[in-house]
Structure formats: structure tokens, C-alpha cells
Amino acid sequence: MEDVARLAGVSKMTVSNVVNNRAGVSEPVRRRVLEAIRRSGYRVNVSARTLKSGRTGVIGLAVPDVEAAYFGHLASHVIAEARRRGFHVAIEESGANAGGEADAVTRSRTLQFDGLILSAVALDRLEEPADAHYPLVMLGEQDFGGRFDHVAMPNEEGTHAATAHLADQGCRRIAIVTGGSLEGVNMVSRRYRGYRAALAERGLDAGPPLLFVLDDMSMEAGRAAAHRLADSGLGVDGVVAVTDTVALGLLRGLADRGLRVPGDVRVAGFDDVPPAAYAVPSLTTVAPDHRWMAAKAVELVVRRIAAPLRPTGRYVAPFQLVVRESSAAG
Amino acid sequence: MEDVARLAGVSKMTVSNVVNNRAGVSEPVRRRVLEAIRRSGYRVNVSARTLKSGRTGVIGLAVPDVEAAYFGHLASHVIAEARRRGFHVAIEESGANAGGEADAVTRSRTLQFDGLILSAVALDRLEEPADAHYPLVMLGEQDFGGRFDHVAMPNEEGTHAATAHLADQGCRRIAIVTGGSLEGVNMVSRRYRGYRAALAERGLDAGPPLLFVLDDMSMEAGRAAAHRLADSGLGVDGVVAVTDTVALGLLRGLADRGLRVPGDVRVAGFDDVPPAAYAVPSLTTVAPDHRWMAAKAVELVVRRIAAPLRPTGRYVAPFQLVVRESSAAG
DNA sequence: TTGTAGGCGTTATCAA
DNA sequence: TTGATAACGCCTACAA
């Protein structure tokens, strides 16, 4: 900066004013400075600016697993929306466990992200006594008792719609394939509740034999569940999967056992990840409005960065049930 | 930091020494300082440290599209390897075009990433006169004339192996579905060359009618290509797809037209993304060693950060041809 | 309209 | 083994 100032024959302060487009710099001086910047290849030092201002202009996005299709999808929307608002996004991987998610918060502050969007799957009790007002927006399904801004998925509503749809297509023995804990309030328990409610309304069986619980929510686990389901002799004719990833594994596992979809079994997923539309058969699924969620989450962090003490809010994403081949009638 | 120093009754410098695990601090003092840190909730200010040291400890990873399965896959390996070496990874989206990729480099320097791994698909002539020694590692397929460290895919070798395999399975009319420019040296032209070579060795047809060029390399484009291919009357019995994403779209498009895979047409892809194993039918594909590539790329940036002037190198990833249902014999 | 002084939090250097 | 000082590059506040 000093070099530029010398080259242009002005002070550092004038250079700063030009760089930041501040008023009060005469046109000829401004031009001299810009020329000097160009010639010297000067570039502002973000660290110095950050040190002074206390802001980095970076929003963190912590997701359980960057590899999962769903998160790539989400990330691209968050990046776009943040850019629109003049922020930059840094993606963090938290691992799908409470420790990793708590670490992500700590790391986010250490790295001085101005705020963090945390797609939490495991963290239900987050303790942050030291600095309770770090701008933190929860994205996901758990219950945080109103302590954080929270963009939620339409978990119950979505699964309810998917289950009801399968029933409407003629399914009578509808299983659910899910993972994680059915205790407490989280994605899994909420989706399970939507499934139960839809079956109850129609007087259809629900009970444990139709409940398949996975160790994790991977494609491989979905595939294994399909094998168990096919071998169970339960006469299952419909399956609600807790996520599309699991559903895609299911489709594969049912194919392994020679079961036709939708001929023998109808399947519905949740998320509408891109591969869902291209699977063979294409996958019926609950499609939350990801763009809406991303935009909302970014809006909330940005607002909270500006006003750390404003009251928190909870917002549920709108969704559509996208009906495709995997649940076709007849 | 001053607070901590006061609390522990030492100087800021001693606090710094304790925080950084430097030798030359007596045990009792160290303990006092750690206790003071704990009580005060002190956290180092990364910006200040960066300002002083000129290093952020962050490596950028610029990918064309965070949404593509392949890049999520890659990113998770890069993150793991970087963490092992004490670096943090920031993921950037460049858009699959030369402008976006050049911007990614500029942004990387503005944001003061210590180095950048650039998965370039469009950038063939990168000009950076101002600061030619920014640690930059190219990941991908283009030819950079030895100006950068470069981790390349086994493009020709891989496609050659896939094409030869289809021929060995009995295919006689093998098409290729690809995208982008066949001019110059890039991923697409390299893969095309591997395909031509394998066909030539076996005296099989190649020529333009069997070449399907896409506008982009999306699933949707792959699907559309399958429709064109099915409607072409060319009697195609094998297809080499330039990527798995395209191949998965192809499988979908062939299903749309009632063509059975592998019964009527055999298909091979490139990348071995996770969904490839779970597709119906599961996809035969060229599987470059992604972990190896990620590790190599990180190793190269880290080395170049330490020694900006060392000579550049080019490294080609090892690969395996993973044979699955989509190319089964008979 | 432009310039000067001081400080953001850290660490390298050198002195005690 | 510990501490004082200066400097990293920028920006706020104030003075000219």
C-alpha cells in the first residue's frame, strides 16, 4: 500500500479511500491511484482488514459429509445466495456425530467465520457458554428449543404425503426403512411419525415388523435393508425410505433379489437429489425446496451477524411430492 | 491475550509461547498460563497471526461444480489429507469455464489461501504475470506445458481399457458419448484418443457417426444422447461414456427407449462415482484412484508452499477397470 | 480534499 | 527462562 501511495504521490490513506470507493477523492487523484495499483500489482491484504474490522466476510457451512449428493446440492445454493449478499462460503465437514458438530462450531469461530450454517444431524444439546451470541443457524431436523435460528425440513408432512401416496396407489403393507434413533425429536423420529400417522388414518398396519432400522444412512445400508426386506416374507408392497440415498440403495437391493419396482414393490424417497430423477426406475420422492432453504439460511445468518440479539425463528421448508416411476400404479 | 498475561502474571510473549507449544517455558508458568486461558475463554486471533506470519493455513480447492458427485468424492479425500498435514480446506466453485477458473485463482490469492488445487476443465492458457509463483496445483486433464504441478487422470489409458473391454465382450459397433472440445489437449480429446486407439487395434469402426457430442456433461445431456443414439439406426451395441454422470444419464435414456443394458447395449463409464455401483444395472467404469490423486495434489501444494521455486512435475493416477453388470457378456 | 497518529492481536528479535 | 519492543497492513479519528 505504501508502494502504491509513493507511486501515485499520495498518502496511504488516500489509497485506502480509493480502494474502498469512499467519497472525497478528487477524480485526477483517484485515477493516479488506480493506475499505480495496476502497475504495482497491489492487492489488499484481507487479514489486515479483518484484523482491523473484526469481520472476514466468510460464512461457514458445516455439513456431515461432503460426499453425500444432498449436501453438494445444498452447498451450491448456499454459495450462490451468499455471493449475492457479498459473503463467501467455506465448506466444512463435520462427520455425522455430535463431537464433530461441536468441533465445527469451535473451528468456525477460531477461523473467524462471521457466522455458521450448521447442518446438524447428531447434535441435540449444544453448549456454548463462553460466547452465546455467535451467529449460528441450524439447518435440519432436530429440536433446539428455540435457542437458534432454525430452517427445518417438512419431515412429518413430507413422509406423511409419501406414505399416503403409496397407500393411494394400492399398497397395503408399507414398510419404512430408516436409520438412527427414534427417540427424541430428530429427523428420523419426525419422519417416522409422519409415516405412522398416514398409516393410522387409513387403518393400515404399521408395527415394528415393518420398521427396518439401519446402522447408517448410506446406499449400502439401503441395499442391505432391501435384502432383509425381500427375505422377510412380510409381503411388503410399499417402502418409504428415510432419504433418497437410502432409497437408491433399496432400488439396487430389490433388483438384486429380482423384485420389480413398481410391479412388486413401490418405493418413495425423501430429498429429491439429482440422481433420483435418473434412476431406473426413476424415484418418487419428497422434494423440499432446497433453494428456499439455502436462501433462508443465508438470510438468517446475515441478519444475525448484523443483529446478534434479535429473537430466533423456526422456518419449515415448503415441499412437493414428485411422483415418478417407482410408485406408478398397476 | 493481554488479559491472559495479566491473569497469569506473565507477559504476552510467554502466553504466545505457551499457545504455540514452544520450548523454553517452565512447567509452573505453563500451567498458570493454561489455567488463565481456560478461565478467560481466550482464543487466538487467526487474522492477527496471519497478518504477522503471512500464512493462513488454508488450501483452496476450486472445482467446477460442487454439485457433481465426482467432486464431492474428491473433496472429502482432499479434506482428509490436508487435515493430516495441518491444513484446512476451503472449497470454491469455479463454474466450468475459463473465466471462472481464472477468477478462482485471483480469489484464492485475495482470500490468502496458502495455495490452490484447481480442478480445471476449461482453462488452457492461464496468465499470471504478476506473481508467477503462487502455489498452484492443477488437477485434471489439460496440458499446461509443465508450468504447473499437475495431477492427471489416466484419460487415454482408461478409455482405452474400457473400449477394449467392450470389444472383448463382443461389441462391434461401439459409440462414444462425450462433450466439449475435441481440439487441443484436454480431458475430452484425450479420452477420445484412447477410444480411437482401442478400436483401431481391433479393426473396428470408429468414424464420426459413432461420435456423440454433448453440450455439457450432465446426466440430462447423457439421457438425450441415449435417445438420439437409440433413434439413429446405427446398430450401436456398446457405448463408452466420457464420465459416469453422463453414463448414468445414458442408462436412464436407454431405459426410456426400452433398450436393455447389457442385453441390447453395453455401457462403460469413467470415474467410479459412488452411485455407479448402485445403479440398475450397476455401471462398469474406469476407476482412477481418487484417494491417490487427492493425496498427491495435497502433497504437491504443501511442498510448493514450502518451496515455491522447485521444478514442477506431472503425475498420472493409477486406475482399475471395474467390471459390473452394464457390460456383462451374453 | 488530503495527511498523520495510533491501534487491531500476534510474533520475531533481542535484551535482561 | 522471561519480557520489552517493533512490525505485519489496514482503517478510524482527527488534524491540516
Side-chain angles (χ1 to χ4, degrees), chain A residues 240-309:
Chain A
V240 175
V242 69
T243 66
D244 279 359
T245 299
V246 167
L248 293 169
L250 274 173
L251 292 182
R252 179 62 245 183
L254 293 170
D256 292 339
R257 286 296 186 268
L259 289 174
R260 287 163 309 127
V261 177
D264 299 317
V265 184
R266 293 187 182 81
V267 176
F270 200 119
D271 279 343
D272 197 25
V273 299
Y278 297 90
V280 180
S282 57
L283 183 66
T284 291
T285 187
V286 175
D289 189 333
H290 289 118
R291 185 181 306 270
W292 184 95
M293 291 181 70
K296 195 70 183 174
V298 172
E299 177 199 326
L300 288 171
V301 228
V302 169
R303 274 214 233 157
R304 187 152 299 283
I305 289 168
L309 299 178

Side-chain angles (χ1 to χ4, degrees), chain B:
Chain B
M1 193 160 185
E2 198 143 334
D3 292 352
V4 174
R6 203 173 326 106
L7 255 169
V10 298
S11 75
K12 287 199 301 178
M13 204 50 236
T14 300
V15 176
S16 174
N17 286 332
V18 170
V19 167
N20 294 287
N21 278 317
R22 271 189 280 262
V25 182
S26 66
E27 201 43 41
V29 171
R30 154 174 260 103
R31 267 217 283 277
R32 273 211 325 274
V33 171
L34 288 174
E35 173 61 15
I37 288 175
R38 209 188 48 68
R39 286 202 304 168
S40 63
Y42 166 80
R43 199 178 297 238
V44 295
N45 180 316
V46 176
S47 304
R49 177 178 286 174
T50 294
L51 176 59
K52 189 69 184 143
S53 69
R55 296 219 171 152
T56 54
V58 176
I59 293 171
L61 172 65
V63 301
D65 174 14
V66 295
E67 202 160 335
Y70 164 70
F71 295 111
H73 198 57
L74 181 75
S76 75
H77 290 313
V78 169
I79 289 171
E81 180 65 20
R83 180 173 298 183
R84 201 166 302 132
R85 292 170 179 270
F87 281 85
H88 186 253
V89 175
I91 300 173
E92 292 278 318
E93 199 168 36
S94 60
N97 60 74
E101 290 174 358
D103 286 353
V105 178
T106 305
R107 209 162 49 236
S108 169
R109 289 161 53 166
T110 300
L111 292 171
Q112 299 184 196
F113 299 157
D114 290 343
L116 179 67
I117 298 173
L118 178 58
S119 180
V121 301
L123 190 67
D124 51 354
R125 232 165 33 97
L126 180 67
E127 303 183 34
E128 280 297 317
D131 175 7
H133 295 298
Y134 184 68
L136 197 53
V137 172
M138 294 297 178
L139 195 58
E141 307 78 5
Q142 300 183 260
D143 188 30
F144 300 102
R147 289 179 303 136
F148 304 106
D149 285 319
H150 183 186
V151 179
M153 296 272 242
N155 290 303
E156 291 193 41
E157 307 85 330
T159 311
H160 184 285
T163 309
H165 165 70
L166 291 181
D168 292 346
Q169 297 295 84
C171 299
R172 286 297 161 265
R173 299 277 289 168
I174 304 178
I176 184 165
V177 176
T178 184
S181 164
L182 294 172
E183 318 247 309
V185 180
N186 55 42
M187 172 187 98
V188 165
S189 66
R190 283 206 159 119
R191 292 188 184 177
Y192 183 58
R193 199 189 318 187
Y195 158 82
R196 293 290 297 241
L199 292 182
E201 285 166 15
R202 282 163 179 73
L204 294 175
D205 278 353
L210 290 170
L211 167 64
F212 291 79
V213 177
L214 312 175
D215 294 334
D216 60 65
M217 302 202 280
S218 63
M219 283 202 235
E220 188 51 44
R223 180 182 204 163
H227 297 168
R228 278 193 282 147
L229 193 146
D231 302 341
S232 69
L234 288 169
V236 169
D237 57 5
V239 187
V240 174
V242 70
T243 66
D244 279 359
T245 298
V246 168
L248 293 169
L250 274 173
L251 291 182
R252 179 64 245 184
L254 293 169
D256 292 340
R257 288 295 186 267
L259 288 174
R260 287 164 307 129
V261 177
D264 299 317
V265 184
R266 294 189 182 80
V267 176
F270 200 118
D271 280 343
D272 197 25
V273 298
Y278 296 90
V280 181
S282 57
L283 184 65
T284 291
T285 187
V286 176
D289 189 332
H290 290 119
R291 185 181 305 269
W292 184 95
M293 292 181 70
K296 195 70 181 175
V298 173
E299 177 198 326
L300 288 170
V301 228
V302 170
R303 274 214 233 156
R304 186 152 301 281
I305 289 166
L309 299 178
R310 60 190 286 276
T312 61
R314 181 169 182 279
Y315 305 83
V316 178
F319 75 97
Q320 278 193 298
L321 183 70
V322 179
V323 176
R324 300 206 183 95
E325 292 167 356
S326 71
S327 69

Side-chain angles (χ1 to χ4, degrees), chain A residues 222-244:
Chain A
R223 181 181 203 162
H227 296 167
R228 277 193 282 145
L229 193 146
D231 303 341
S232 69
L234 288 170
V236 168
D237 56 5
V239 187
V240 175
V242 69
T243 66
D244 279 359

Side-chain angles (χ1 to χ4, degrees), chain A residues 1 59 63 101 107 179 187:
Chain A
M1 195 159 185
I59 293 171
V63 300
E101 290 174 358
R107 207 162 51 235
M187 173 187 97

Side-chain angles (χ1 to χ4, degrees), chain A residues 49-265:
Chain A
R49 176 177 287 176
T50 294
L51 178 59
K52 190 67 186 152
S53 70
R55 296 220 170 150
T56 54
V58 176
I59 293 171
L61 172 65
V63 300
D65 174 13
V66 294
E67 202 161 334
Y70 164 69
F71 296 111
H73 199 56
L74 180 74
S76 75
H77 290 312
V78 169
I79 289 171
E81 180 65 21
R83 180 173 298 182
R84 202 165 302 132
R85 293 170 178 270
F87 282 84
H88 186 255
V89 176
I91 300 173
E92 292 278 318
E93 199 168 36
S94 60
N97 60 74
E101 290 174 358
D103 285 354
V105 178
T106 305
R107 207 162 51 235
S108 168
R109 289 161 53 166
T110 301
L111 293 170
Q112 298 182 205
F113 299 157
D114 290 342
L116 179 68
I117 298 173
L118 178 58
S119 179
V121 301
L123 190 65
D124 50 354
R125 234 165 34 97
L126 181 66
E127 304 182 33
E128 280 297 318
D131 175 8
H133 297 296
Y134 185 69
L136 196 53
V137 172
M138 294 297 177
L139 195 58
E141 306 79 3
Q142 299 185 261
D143 187 30
F144 300 102
R147 289 179 302 136
F148 304 106
D149 284 319
H150 183 185
V151 180
M153 296 273 240
N155 289 304
E156 290 192 44
E157 306 86 331
T159 311
H160 183 285
T163 308
H165 165 69
L166 291 182
D168 292 346
Q169 296 296 86
C171 300
R172 286 297 161 266
R173 300 278 290 167
I174 304 177
I176 184 166
V177 176
T178 185
S181 163
L182 293 174
E183 318 247 311
V185 180
N186 55 42
M187 173 187 97
V188 165
S189 65
R190 283 206 160 119
R191 293 191 184 174
Y192 183 58
R193 201 189 318 189
Y195 158 82
R196 293 290 297 241
L199 293 183
E201 285 166 16
R202 283 164 179 71
L204 293 175
D205 278 353
L210 291 170
L211 166 65
F212 291 79
V213 177
L214 312 175
D215 294 334
D216 60 67
M217 302 203 280
S218 64
M219 285 204 234
E220 188 51 44
R223 181 181 203 162
H227 296 167
R228 277 193 282 145
L229 193 146
D231 303 341
S232 69
L234 288 170
V236 168
D237 56 5
V239 187
V240 175
V242 69
T243 66
D244 279 359
T245 299
V246 167
L248 293 169
L250 274 173
L251 292 182
R252 179 62 245 183
L254 293 170
D256 292 339
R257 286 296 186 268
L259 289 174
R260 287 163 309 127
V261 177
D264 299 317
V265 184

